[in-house]
Amino acid sequence: MIRYLRKIAIISLACLQSLLLRAGGVEPSTSISLNGKWQMGFDRNYSVNADVPGIAADPSKMSDQLLWYKKEITLPAGNWSYATLELEGARFAPEVFVNGRSVSKQNGGMAPTLHLLNAAEVKPGKIITIEIALQSLKNVPPADASFIPPADQWRSNISSGLWDDVVLHLHGSLRIDRIIPFTDFSKKTVSVHYDLQQIKKEGVAASALLEVLDANGKSLFFKTVPVTSLRDSTDISYANKLKTWSPETPNLYQLRLTIRDQKKQLLDTRTISFAIKKFETKNKQFYLNDELCKLRGGTVVWHRWVRSQEGRELGFDTTWFKENIVQRLKDHGANYLRFHLGKPPERLLDLCDKYGLLVQYEWSFFHGMPATRESLLEQYKNWLDVAMRHPSVALVHPYNETEGEQLHTVWNALDQLLKDYPPLVMEERDVIHVHKYWWSLFENVGLYYDDANQFPQTIMVDEFGGNYLDEQGNLGGYKALKESYLRFLGRIHTVTERLKFHALANAKIAEYWRRINAAGFAPFTILSSFEDGNTWFMGPLKNGVEKPVWQELTAAFSPLSVSINCWDQNFTASQRIDLPLYFFNDTRNNTLVKARLRLTDVSGSNRIDTTIQAAVNGFSKRVINLSLRLPATTGRYKLSAELINRPAAVKYPVISSWEIRIVQAEKSAGLNNVKIAVPDEEKELLAFLQQQKITTVKLQDETANIVVTSAQSWRKIAAGDHQLLNALEAKIDKGVSVIMLDIGEKYLGQGYPSKDGDLGPLQGVARITDPRITQYKLFKGLSLKFTEAAEPESHLHADRSDSSLWKNIPKDYTWLWNGMRGGLVVPAADMEINGLSAEAFLAQWKARGADETAIRNGNYYAYELQGFYEYSSKPDDAALQKKLKDKVIFLVQDAPALANAINPATPIKVIDLANGFKSANNGTAKKFTALASCGKNLTRTPVAFIDFGKDKGSLILSQLLTAGRLANGYGEKGFYGIRYDEVAAQVLLNMIEKVSNRN
């Protein structure tokens, strides 16, 4: 397909006709903007005037008819011979008509298409009517590379329309197809390759004038050479003439190619943006102009954004985009912008060229790519040609989250095409794109990696932080948001808490990736649709009011910065802590980086206030290990490090901060008289009880009121120690309550691989296709079943029916306990308790969302698939099973994390709850109470209270990872080693009080 490259300034038709014409007319090459008002309507019924470019039709619907545009134009006078219409974005499969007759039809529409207006009426001075017919996506075959994949249709613009500029090119018998500069940075030369298209069968004898102009159009130097073929090149030297382009110094030029025939008559001329830039990967890092370049920025999903009304209104507004995206990113210290899932309007790339943002440039393939090689060769070429006229383009991303055989087709096409382009930094071939949605709607807090050098290639972490909130701070439209916010914030949360969580999950994960030396990162997403992503703005989008996430990310974005590495949250009074403080210098100059370190209480008073400085070489980081003595007073504090000498280009404070808590476990007075039996091997439990001044006795002691076991005892039970089980059962029969801690399997997920060096899936959690299941018989008819889950949990919440474990504990104190990767609290194993009484059976299923009354009334069934539940009165409810299956399939198709964690092909389990209720009448466990909840939708119950009735002891079963956290000296070494946590100690005290005070 012929492809014209657009010139920098397009002259409007009205202005063009008012020009003083040379020699009775314009020269034969002119580019005319046809943007503006066009008549538009379906089925050629022109009913409205629409703005071009624009999103004129409903972006959430596929039409059943062709969408038509029409415009009458007066062609300018002059010596030109031919005209070609360039549609920079015309969805889908545009067909062009002149005076009612079809003259050109092309596939695609996500990349520019060219249409020769081959009609007798197309002559200088004539008035013609141009019509453009666009197919509905409904009629676009998946084999077309512009097809919008089903996984994106529900959240993206799926309408037809002219979504980018419309330009009319007037030219002679030779026209310029494309201009591609190849820069040799070491030799300071540029080889300008260009393709010409011969319209008329005649010789190619012509000359080429190559000029380099400054941003104002002033010619800096030129070179004239003969044209020897339709595919030719010209070398020029720019030594001492041109400056390099970078985000800090976006020195932008123009490259103009002019073709004349032997009579010096102009045949064609094209001008593209041009800059001296070299971008590459080396030593698992990015390099720009032979200097280390860390990519720090965000993401705009333009084709999703314009699905919203505000996106439709602002999507083409360069003033708004420049002020609120481009300049705002730079003011916060960023240097990079990812345009996700498709080329945006080219005017937005122009802004990145001019003001200095490196761009990740993408095609719209998403979760599969059924396009043919032929379609790819055609449309990838046009798409890559656009990239060649934008110096800001750095990373090229021809597909997203696609794998398997389809990639062979992609790379078969790319391998043929890329020979015609300068070296490009390409997805997978040169860069691993990491999508780890830790602490957000897909995944738990992760922190699996210690250094970017663990990866086999350069890593660009370009998706994380997906806790989408609308302009009011409420949940966006993404279907998995509710269950994720339940997982991390619990059942009740405020706008303030949601905005804070949104900011934390983006900023703290970004700082983590920067600390471990990732080549680049970009949280997700600044602008997108309500259905997926929302925006980082509050209130009307046109006002550009930032959500807190912008400020929180400044420490990650700023080239000079500081970062506190402190994932522990719970500390004791007067505790001395070791605090790694990172200093970053992403500039070329050696710099003395200065930071103000403060610890403030809730009133804002400083408890610690000191200045820390570090000499940091250019393009490097430095870690200063501080030793701090925390205050003696319990409560909440804010630990922050603020950069004192922030760069002039950064307009906002550069602050890395964490909220920490100083906690003192409180023992109820009622525990002063209890006697607790502890097995001899439970050394940590003994130390804990002694620390709390609680009387301990031997397991055999008949005066014990309570028995507590932990990890050491569970190992014996798991190995078949019936003697211990019998002893515990005997205690319960005598009215002694038992607390069993750290029970079950200790699967810890992807952060703790069984094989050293195993990175796991980089776009999702470890896949559990055949979960490990273990079962244990306890006593009094109880048995436990542990099913391996995809992830462990770091956030623990009180169950809606009982919050007794949260006595003296604010709700957020049980989020992120000390040590382990991501502060893990619950292992990756789902616990199911069997052998309960009828009432206990009811309570367990009520905790999973079942209707208690329906279970009692009979004919009530649970449908379970991969941890997701639906309920029905029918044992073979096909509609409900389809609903459940569709839900899980949707999540798998959409989210890479879930795709790896969930297998929708497994059979749906149907559980007869009414029958289970009846069968449980013989169970000895009279009462079941869920004491804690965790996981998505809070369906996991890691702590349960079981009452065996009058004169019997009660039982608490706990999966919580408390071993190593209950007493000092029993933890592990290393930054991610499990450590003492005063909140864990308080939870155990509350458990003891719970069984002491049972009704």
Side-chain angles (χ1 to χ4, degrees):
M1 178 193 289
I2 299 171
R3 168 69 213 139
Y4 276 113
L5 295 174
R6 93 188 205 189
K7 70 187 191 69
I8 297 301
I10 299 177
I11 306 171
S12 72
L13 183 59
C15 293
L16 176 70
Q17 292 177 322
S18 67
L19 293 175
L20 177 63
L21 302 182
R22 182 188 307 172
V26 296
E27 286 198 309
S29 179
T30 306
S31 296
I32 305 170
S33 171
L34 298 186
N35 289 348
K37 294 293 185 181
W38 285 62
Q39 295 180 66
M40 189 198 80
F42 289 99
D43 203 23
R44 226 170 190 171
N45 179 21
Y46 296 106
S47 56
V48 298
N49 287 326
D51 289 320
V52 172
I55 308 298
D58 185 339
S60 66
K61 294 181 179 178
M62 301 181 201
S63 66
D64 293 320
Q65 302 165 307
L66 289 174
L67 181 63
W68 289 76
Y69 288 80
K70 181 169 75 171
K71 191 179 188 75
E72 184 181 272
I73 65 170
T74 301
L75 297 171
N79 297 322
W80 55 269
S81 306
Y82 302 95
T84 298
L85 188 68
E86 178 180 16
L87 304 178
E88 295 198 11
R91 305 189 333 178
F92 296 91
E95 184 172 5
V96 176
F97 296 75
V98 174
N99 293 347
R101 184 171 68 85
S102 176
V103 296
S104 175
K105 185 175 183 179
Q106 302 285 351
N107 295 318
M110 290 300 287
T113 57
L114 271 292
H115 306 267
L116 180 66
L117 303 186
N118 187 16
E121 304 92 326
V122 179
K123 293 181 179 179
K126 294 289 186 178
I127 298 175
I128 63 171
T129 298
I130 295 178
E131 292 178 289
I132 303 169
L134 300 172
Q135 291 284 345
S136 167
L137 177 58
K138 188 177 294 184
N139 298 319
V140 176
D144 188 312
S146 287
F147 177 77
I148 307 301
D152 211 39
Q153 291 179 8
W154 60 273
R155 56 185 154 191
S156 189
N157 172 26
I158 55 174
S159 68
S160 303
L162 297 175
W163 61 272
D164 206 347
D165 295 330
V166 177
V167 182
L168 183 65
H169 297 292
L170 309 175
H171 51 84
S173 59
L174 274 184
R175 62 186 181 189
I176 301 169
D177 180 18
R178 58 180 175 178
I179 305 171
I180 303 177
F182 289 67
T183 301
D184 189 320
F185 205 71
S186 60
K187 295 181 180 178
K188 299 188 182 304
T189 60
V190 178
S191 180
V192 181
H193 293 224
Y194 49 91
D195 290 358
L196 306 177
Q197 183 70 25
Q198 191 172 28
I199 307 300
K200 187 177 180 181
K201 296 298 182 181
E202 56 187 27
V204 296
S207 63
L209 170 64
L210 188 66
E211 296 177 273
V212 176
L213 306 92
D214 66 16
N216 298 316
K218 178 183 176 182
S219 180
L220 300 178
F221 55 94
F222 63 90
K223 182 177 182 180
T224 303
V225 294
V227 174
T228 58
S229 70
L230 294 177
R231 171 165 287 191
D232 215 334
S233 65
T234 299
D235 295 340
I236 56 174
S237 172
Y238 65 83
N240 303 317
K241 299 174 184 176
L242 304 179
K243 298 178 181 179
T244 57
W245 184 99
S246 71
E248 297 73 30
T249 56
N251 296 304
L252 191 62
Y253 303 96
Q254 300 174 46
L255 187 63
R256 183 163 67 197
L257 178 66
T258 302
I259 306 297
R260 295 181 182 273
D261 64 16
Q262 289 179 314
K263 297 179 181 180
K264 307 301 180 184
Q265 294 293 313
L266 185 62
L267 296 175
D268 203 358
T269 184
R270 291 289 176 268
T271 305
I272 65 170
S273 292
F274 169 67
I276 301 301
K277 185 201 75 174
K278 177 186 178 184
F279 189 80
E280 62 183 335
T281 61
K282 185 169 53 178
N283 301 324
K284 298 183 182 179
Q285 296 294 321
F286 297 123
Y287 281 77
L288 176 63
N289 304 332
D290 288 336
E291 291 184 332
L292 187 68
C293 178
K294 295 287 188 177
L295 298 186
R296 313 174 308 273
T299 299
V300 167
V301 197
W302 190 88
H303 293 276
R304 288 182 185 169
W305 179 41
V306 296
R307 186 181 175 100
S308 70
Q309 183 57 42
E310 289 187 312
R312 294 171 72 177
E313 294 169 358
L314 298 173
F316 302 90
D317 187 334
T318 53
T319 299
W320 186 92
F321 198 87
K322 186 263 180 182
E323 292 176 355
N324 291 285
I325 303 300
V326 176
Q327 194 58 52
R328 193 182 299 270
L329 278 167
K330 293 180 71 69
D331 287 348
H332 282 277
N335 61 3
Y336 155 90
L337 178 58
R338 178 192 187 196
F339 284 110
H340 183 39
L341 290 180
K343 180 185 83 68
E346 211 165 337
R347 61 187 66 186
L348 303 186
L349 295 173
D350 290 336
L351 294 175
C352 297
D353 294 338
K354 181 176 180 180
Y355 295 104
L357 282 179
L358 289 158
V359 164
Q360 183 164 315
Y361 184 71
E362 300 192 6
W363 191 250
S364 55
F365 291 145
F366 180 56
H367 289 279
M369 190 291 305
T372 64
R373 178 177 180 274
E374 292 71 25
S375 183
L376 291 170
L377 287 171
E378 178 184 54
Q379 296 183 45
Y380 268 172
K381 172 187 176 295
N382 296 339
W383 171 66
L384 290 170
D385 285 352
V386 173
M388 294 302 98
R389 57 188 185 238
H390 291 287
S392 57
V393 171
L395 296 180
V396 179
H397 205 256
Y399 47 84
N400 184 70
E401 294 170 5
T402 295
E403 57 186 19
E405 285 298 318
Q406 292 177 332
L407 291 187
H408 292 295
T409 306
V410 166
W411 277 100
N412 186 284
L414 285 172
D415 286 340
Q416 179 174 333
L417 290 171
L418 291 176
K419 294 180 290 186
D420 293 334
Y421 297 93
L424 301 175
V425 178
M426 303 288 294
E427 177 186 13
E428 285 197 320
R429 186 190 68 180
D430 308 302
V431 180
I432 295 173
H433 291 263
V434 178
H435 297 177
K436 300 299 292 182
Y437 277 91
W438 294 330
W439 213 355
S440 68
L441 84 154
F442 295 136
E443 299 178 71
N444 191 40
V445 186
L447 316 181
Y448 301 154
Y449 315 110
D450 297 321
D451 193 282
N453 281 325
Q454 291 176 252
F455 296 85
Q457 290 174 276
T458 306
I459 60 169
M460 178 66 206
V461 189
D462 52 8
E463 286 189 31
F464 60 91
N467 295 308
Y468 312 140
L469 298 175
D470 69 11
E471 68 279 3
Q472 303 300 324
N474 297 320
L475 301 189
Y478 194 90
K479 297 177 182 178
L481 277 173
K482 181 181 178 181
E483 61 195 37
S484 299
Y485 272 85
L486 282 169
R487 181 187 200 182
F488 294 111
L489 296 185
R491 292 178 177 84
I492 300 174
H493 37 79
T494 65
V495 168
T496 299
E497 289 172 330
R498 289 192 290 272
L499 289 171
K500 176 183 175 182
F501 172 54
H502 175 252
L504 273 178
N506 280 276
K508 296 311 168 192
I509 299 299
E511 288 184 49
Y512 160 85
W513 285 113
R514 191 173 186 184
R515 288 195 299 266
I516 72 165
N517 216 28
F521 58 84
F524 200 82
T525 174
I526 300 172
L527 293 173
S528 191
S529 62
F530 172 75
E531 292 82 357
D532 187 339
N534 298 88
T535 76
W536 287 358
F537 297 92
M538 293 291 288
L541 193 57
K542 63 182 179 181
N543 295 339
V545 177
E546 295 183 353
K547 283 178 179 169
V549 65
W550 281 100
Q551 179 53 53
E552 288 294 322
L553 277 165
T554 311
F557 286 162
S558 178
L560 286 181
S561 190
V562 291
S563 179
I564 295 173
N565 196 9
C566 179
W567 287 89
D568 287 0
Q569 306 290 286
N570 303 322
F571 299 96
T572 57
S574 302
Q575 181 178 343
R576 180 167 289 281
I577 65 170
D578 295 324
L579 182 71
L581 185 62
Y582 283 66
F583 291 81
F584 297 104
N585 181 7
D586 287 352
T587 74
R588 66 172 59 88
N589 300 316
N590 299 341
T591 304
L592 184 66
V593 184
K594 301 178 182 180
R596 183 185 183 188
L597 183 72
R598 292 196 298 165
L599 182 71
T600 56
D601 58 25
V602 290
S603 70
S605 299
N606 291 330
R607 298 302 188 92
I608 297 175
D609 191 349
T610 186
T611 299
I612 309 295
Q613 60 186 33
V616 188
N617 293 334
F619 302 117
S620 67
K621 68 180 179 183
R622 185 174 174 187
V623 184
I624 303 295
N625 290 301
L626 306 177
S627 179
L628 302 178
R629 176 75 69 183
L630 298 180
T633 307
T634 60
R636 296 177 184 269
Y637 294 84
K638 184 175 183 179
L639 183 63
S640 64
E642 179 174 3
L643 183 68
I644 296 174
N645 54 329
R646 74 171 187 256
V650 179
K651 308 303 183 186
Y652 296 87
V654 180
I655 302 173
S656 174
S657 65
W658 274 103
E659 287 189 4
I660 65 171
R661 288 89 64 156
I662 296 179
V663 186
Q664 177 63 57
E666 298 180 33
K667 181 184 67 173
S668 170
L671 300 186
N672 289 328
N673 299 320
V674 300
K675 292 183 179 180
I676 297 182
V678 179
D680 291 342
E681 62 269 16
E682 299 286 8
K683 304 300 183 185
E684 184 181 5
L685 281 180
L686 288 168
F688 163 79
L689 294 167
Q690 291 168 4
Q691 176 183 317
Q692 300 298 329
K693 296 183 172 56
I694 295 176
T695 302
T696 62
V697 297
K698 297 288 187 179
L699 184 60
Q700 300 79 14
D701 195 310
E702 296 296 327
T703 67
N705 310 105
I706 298 168
V707 176
V708 182
T709 69
S710 188
Q712 299 295 331
S713 298
W714 179 257
R715 291 191 187 98
K716 294 174 66 175
I717 291 171
D721 189 332
H722 297 291
Q723 183 178 354
L724 179 55
L725 283 175
N726 293 337
L728 296 177
E729 182 176 30
K731 290 291 186 182
I732 289 174
D733 285 336
K734 294 177 180 179
V736 177
S737 293
V738 174
I739 299 172
M740 299 179 68
L741 304 175
D742 289 280
I743 65 172
E745 313 310 323
K746 297 298 183 292
Y747 307 136
L748 297 178
Q750 189 180 336
Y752 294 83
S754 56
K755 181 181 178 182
D756 288 343
D758 182 5
L759 300 175
L762 300 179
Q763 296 187 345
V765 299
R767 186 175 182 87
I768 307 298
T769 56
D770 185 18
R772 290 173 283 182
I773 298 174
T774 53
Q775 300 189 61
Y776 302 94
K777 287 186 177 181
L778 289 185
F779 37 71
K780 306 194 72 61
L782 289 182
S783 64
L784 300 178
K785 178 180 177 181
F786 296 95
T787 303
E788 183 180 12
E791 292 183 281
E793 300 294 333
S794 61
H795 287 60
L796 189 70
H797 308 279
D799 191 81
R800 59 164 57 92
S801 62
D802 191 305
S803 60
S804 56
L805 298 191
W806 271 257
K807 182 178 179 180
N808 302 323
I809 305 175
K811 68 174 185 178
D812 57 326
Y813 280 30
T814 53
W815 307 344
L816 299 180
W817 282 358
N818 294 344
M820 307 193 75
R821 293 186 181 274
L824 302 181
V825 180
V826 181
D830 191 27
M831 177 173 68
E832 181 180 335
I833 304 171
N834 297 307
L836 301 170
S837 69
E839 294 302 315
F841 178 87
L842 277 177
Q844 181 172 228
W845 278 99
K846 185 178 177 181
R848 292 174 179 164
D851 186 322
E852 177 182 347
T853 302
I855 296 175
R856 289 182 184 275
N857 292 340
N859 296 325
Y860 193 61
Y861 301 86
Y863 292 82
E864 185 270 336
L865 178 61
Q866 295 289 290
F868 294 89
Y869 292 90
E870 294 287 347
Y871 299 93
S872 173
S873 61
K874 302 176 184 178
D876 53 354
D877 193 329
L880 193 71
Q881 291 191 62
K882 183 178 185 303
K883 176 184 175 183
L884 180 58
K885 179 81 76 170
D886 288 347
K887 175 182 179 180
V888 173
I889 289 174
F890 158 74
L891 292 172
V892 166
Q893 288 177 340
D894 181 62
L898 297 180
N900 286 321
I902 294 173
N903 182 7
T906 57
I908 293 176
K909 185 191 299 183
V910 182
I911 305 164
D912 187 338
L913 297 183
N915 186 59
F917 173 65
K918 294 176 184 177
S919 300
N921 284 325
N922 296 324
T924 58
K926 302 302 181 185
K927 183 179 179 182
F928 172 95
T929 304
L931 297 183
S933 302
C934 64
K936 295 179 181 179
N937 268 337
L938 298 181
T939 56
R940 292 187 61 186
T941 302
V943 186
F945 174 86
I946 298 172
D947 194 327
F948 292 97
K950 186 178 179 181
D951 298 328
K952 302 293 184 182
S954 59
L955 173 67
I956 286 181
L957 297 171
S958 172
Q959 291 181 275
L960 305 186
L961 296 167
T962 51
R965 285 174 166 146
L966 295 176
N968 284 309
Y970 291 88
E972 300 167 342
K973 295 182 179 180
F975 188 81
Y976 293 114
I978 197 166
R979 281 185 286 280
Y980 177 74
D981 192 305
E982 194 81 5
V983 174
Q986 181 69 69
V987 168
L988 179 51
L989 287 174
N990 292 342
M991 288 182 184
I992 295 171
E993 185 172 357
K994 173 72 176 178
V995 298
S996 298
N997 298 333
R998 72 183 183 90
N999 295 327

